Amino acid sequence: MKNKQLSFDLGKYGDLYDMLIPKDNFWRRLDEDIDFSFVYDYVKDSYSMTMGRKAVDCVVMFKFLLLKNYFKLSDVDLVERARTDMLFKFFLGYSPEDVTLIDPSLLTKFRRERLVRYGTDGNGNRVKVRDDSQSMLSELIAKTVELALSKGVISPRSKIIVDSTHSSSIYQHISPREAMIREAKALRKQIYQHDETMKDSMPRKRESSGNVEDMVDYCNELIATISGHEELLAVPAVRQQLNLLQEIVNDTNEEIEYSRDSEAKTGHKTADSHFFGYKTHIAITPERVITAATVTTGEKHDGKQLPALIEASEEAGIEVEAVIGDGAYAEKENLQYCKDNDIRNNSKLSSTVTHGNRKNSFEYNKDAGMYVCPQGHMAVRKCHSKPTKYRNNSECETYYFDVEHCKHCPMSSGCYKEGARSKTYTVTIKKDIHNEQMEFMKTEEFEENYSHRYKIEAKNAELKNRYGYGRANACGTSGMTIQGMSALFLANMKRIYKLEDEKKAC
């Protein structure tokens, strides 16, 4: 697959790489298997062909991003490590003897202005001019699927398992000022562990003022104070925390309002728990290879993303024969979409569809065609209601009961309101497609397919625990998508190589 990518001169000491980096090393296999030249097509309009000095190769910059997100390093620490780490140098295409790499600020600029372009509107507000991050994410995933198919570790005709995983905003519903307070506190803690006498040298805290500008000034003073102590900078933990604080300050200085992550939204995991951030909607094969992903704000409904996930999976080379998901993917539109495209939808219907949402145990008497109340009284008549916007465009049937029975019923509490002139019980008429799904849910095929759903929960846990995907490391949907490029791409490649090794061992 590596056909258009630039070849790098590894210098006269290039043989060191063959001695030090084994053939089965993950980063070596990744460099050999994936052609990253597609990055040129996405960023070429962000560079000038006639102005400025010669730019650093954008493939190298993109590889820096992969290393940054995998090893969780600041821009400064990443470049510093690349100067001495032979594996980093090999993956980036440098010669072993190279010590002059890139300035860390170039990586910051690449991340903020090359992958996503911003401009200003008529009112001077910062707005996105172009955002290809979602397209790049889809192409990266498609390349991994293509590789998996070529290695024979997944089948071209497959089921896909769908779900979403949430990522909290970098500020987690707090202001940039509070984020700087948190990072500054962590930095001071690291310093005091090594030298308690530094407490007398620290700048005066300004947390009580409430102004973000005052906090920026304090952080700059703190950074300047620590930078003047070489013995502290020699401690890796202190230096790394210092660099992280510097990045937060730089982000806030870039544009304070933007740093508040105004795109993040509140989403709900359960009825009584919520998060503030983003969702990544994912589709995987039963072999746990990701075939598609889309990034949205936190409040978006999971089920609405199903058609996009199916179409992206098919564009990546997978012929989708079935989808497996929770109740969010069993809404009427998705059932109809799957039926129209000859795809089996292995998602359980909501209990309100299968059993209704009433707590009272009214039973349907199929012989009389009427409902019977818990006390045993049958409805005396029924009427049919046409779809209205107040009923979710669903047809309903309303059953009327004799209120004389209700007035003297021992179970009237919570069922009949005293003085009411009528007692009714309304049920929504199930669509044919819901009845078909209910019958399908009773089959062994459904049960066998649905038993694979746990795999995507494991994949979500892997992304959060191993790749730090539980928390955004940048602002905005674009920043979350760029983070997803690294996390989902690297997770896929790790999985593909593991499947390939298992296949060879058999």
Side-chain angles (χ1 to χ4, degrees):
M1 295 175 67
K2 186 177 178 182
N3 46 22
K4 297 187 295 180
Q5 192 166 317
L6 288 178
S7 297
F8 294 96
D9 180 10
L10 299 181
K12 59 182 179 180
Y13 301 110
D15 291 341
L16 283 173
Y17 289 141
D18 292 329
M19 298 170 58
L20 298 175
I21 304 173
K23 297 291 185 182
D24 62 350
N25 177 270
F26 170 72
W27 294 97
R28 183 167 194 146
R29 295 168 76 177
L30 180 63
D31 185 61
E32 293 171 351
D33 283 335
I34 298 297
D35 176 15
F36 290 100
S37 61
F38 73 93
V39 176
Y40 296 125
D41 295 330
Y42 285 100
V43 302
K44 62 183 180 182
D45 293 336
S46 299
Y47 291 88
S48 172
M49 300 299 291
T50 58
M51 298 175 62
R53 63 184 177 181
K54 183 179 179 181
V56 177
D57 191 278
C58 58
V59 168
V60 175
M61 302 298 289
F62 188 77
K63 287 182 175 182
F64 265 114
L65 279 186
L66 294 179
L67 293 170
K68 173 185 172 67
N69 287 309
Y70 185 82
F71 291 98
K72 301 178 180 63
L73 297 169
S74 67
D75 295 340
V76 173
D77 291 321
L78 173 64
V79 176
E80 184 64 30
R81 179 168 172 179
R83 288 193 179 98
T84 57
D85 193 308
M86 297 294 279
L87 179 58
F88 278 31
K89 284 187 175 182
F90 173 80
F91 182 65
L92 295 168
Y94 288 109
S95 301
E97 66 271 25
D98 284 339
V99 292
T100 304
L101 307 184
I102 66 169
D103 188 280
S105 63
L106 292 179
L107 182 57
T108 307
K109 190 175 185 68
F110 180 78
R111 188 175 67 247
R112 292 178 184 164
E113 299 183 16
R114 303 305 187 198
L115 296 180
V116 181
R117 296 185 64 190
Y118 288 90
T120 54
D121 61 15
N123 298 321
N125 299 318
R126 180 175 174 172
V127 295
K128 291 179 184 176
V129 176
R130 195 190 69 187
D131 183 2
D132 291 326
S133 55
Q134 180 61 53
S135 299
M136 288 186 70
L137 171 62
S138 298
E139 182 153 353
L140 271 174
I141 292 175
K143 284 185 174 294
T144 63
V145 173
E146 180 185 351
L147 182 66
L149 290 170
S150 68
K151 292 180 179 294
V153 296
I154 61 173
S155 171
R157 180 171 173 80
S158 176
K159 311 174 183 68
I160 60 171
I161 311 167
V162 293
D163 197 9
S164 71
T165 185
H166 70 276
S167 303
S168 299
S169 166
I170 185 173
Y171 294 118
Q172 297 188 25
H173 227 164
I174 65 174
S175 68
R177 173 181 162 277
E178 292 170 306
M180 286 187 287
I181 290 174
R182 181 176 58 194
E183 294 299 334
K185 183 178 180 180
L187 177 57
R188 292 196 303 269
K189 185 177 180 181
Q190 284 287 349
I191 292 170
Y192 298 155
Q193 288 177 355
H194 296 279
D195 188 356
E196 289 190 0
T197 63
M198 283 295 296
K199 290 182 179 180
D200 298 331
S201 304
M202 290 295 175
R204 182 179 60 84
K205 295 180 183 179
R206 303 174 194 175
E207 298 175 6
S208 59
S209 72
N211 294 326
V212 66
E213 291 82 4
D214 287 345
M215 197 62 209
V216 169
D217 292 340
Y218 168 76
C219 289
N220 283 329
E221 290 181 21
L222 179 61
I223 292 168
T225 300
I226 297 167
S227 298
H229 292 264
E230 295 294 335
E231 71 280 6
L232 292 175
L233 295 178
V235 180
V238 172
R239 188 173 64 251
Q240 290 182 12
Q241 190 62 47
L242 179 70
N243 291 333
L244 288 174
L245 177 60
Q246 183 68 69
E247 279 198 5
I248 293 244
V249 173
N250 290 342
D251 281 342
T252 306
N253 281 331
E254 180 74 17
E255 188 170 336
I256 290 174
E257 291 300 319
Y258 180 68
S259 296
R260 286 178 182 150
D261 206 352
S262 58
E263 293 184 38
K265 295 291 187 293
T266 300
H268 295 270
K269 295 180 284 185
T270 63
D272 55 359
S273 65
H274 64 275
F275 68 97
F276 179 72
Y278 305 91
K279 281 184 178 180
T280 302
H281 308 267
I282 301 172
I284 68 171
T285 66
E287 296 84 10
R288 306 188 195 188
V289 173
I290 300 171
T291 61
T294 60
V295 177
T296 66
T297 49
E299 87 287 3
K300 298 298 183 184
H301 188 272
D302 293 359
K304 304 298 183 184
Q305 310 302 318
L306 181 62
L309 292 175
I310 293 175
E311 290 165 10
S313 297
E314 292 182 336
E315 289 176 5
I318 299 297
E319 183 183 351
V320 180
E321 62 179 3
V323 296
I324 303 165
D326 58 24
Y329 300 94
E331 56 185 23
K332 183 181 69 175
E333 292 78 9
N334 286 338
L335 295 176
Q336 189 62 54
Y337 176 88
C338 290
K339 182 178 181 180
D340 294 342
N341 291 275
D342 195 25
I343 297 171
R344 280 291 201 181
N345 189 323
N346 295 266
S347 305
K348 290 185 176 181
L349 290 170
S350 167
S351 60
T352 59
V353 176
T354 55
H355 301 102
N357 56 7
R358 298 299 187 92
K359 296 181 180 179
N360 297 328
S361 53
F362 282 67
E363 299 289 343
Y364 184 72
N365 186 304
K366 62 182 180 63
D367 296 320
M370 292 288 186
Y371 270 88
V372 178
C373 77
Q375 188 63 16
H377 300 295
M378 183 177 289
V380 293
R381 67 184 181 91
K382 66 179 178 180
C383 70
H384 184 87
S385 302
K386 293 183 178 180
T388 68
K389 63 179 180 180
Y390 303 106
R391 295 195 181 99
N392 259 347
N393 292 318
S394 299
E395 296 183 51
C396 299
E397 282 188 343
T398 302
Y399 295 81
Y400 292 81
F401 291 82
D402 187 345
V403 292
E404 294 301 321
H405 292 306
C406 298
K407 290 177 182 178
H408 307 287
C409 178
M411 301 179 68
S412 63
S413 178
C415 180
Y416 170 74
K417 184 178 180 180
E418 186 175 351
R421 300 177 61 181
S422 65
K423 166 61 186 173
T424 62
Y425 183 78
T426 302
V427 295
T428 301
I429 299 175
K430 297 183 180 68
K431 304 291 184 180
D432 290 341
I433 199 161
H434 286 149
N435 291 323
E436 292 172 7
Q437 185 70 4
M438 289 173 65
E439 291 300 315
F440 178 51
M441 287 169 57
K442 300 175 183 177
T443 64
E444 292 183 4
E445 177 189 353
F446 180 91
E447 291 297 329
E448 197 282 327
N449 286 338
Y450 196 77
S451 66
H452 292 281
R453 206 189 80 80
Y454 77 93
K455 295 177 179 178
I456 199 162
E457 300 289 355
K459 177 61 70 174
N460 290 340
E462 175 193 350
L463 290 172
K464 290 182 177 180
N465 297 331
R466 180 63 189 87
Y467 298 92
Y469 210 61
R471 181 170 179 261
N473 61 18
C475 297
T477 308
S478 301
M480 190 71 237
T481 306
I482 292 171
Q483 183 179 349
M485 287 183 205
S486 300
L488 276 61
F489 170 70
L490 294 174
N492 247 14
M493 294 303 298
K494 286 270 189 180
R495 182 61 183 168
I496 290 168
Y497 289 145
K498 182 177 181 180
L499 292 172
E500 182 185 23
D501 293 342
E502 290 175 351
K503 183 180 178 181
K504 289 178 179 178
C506 294

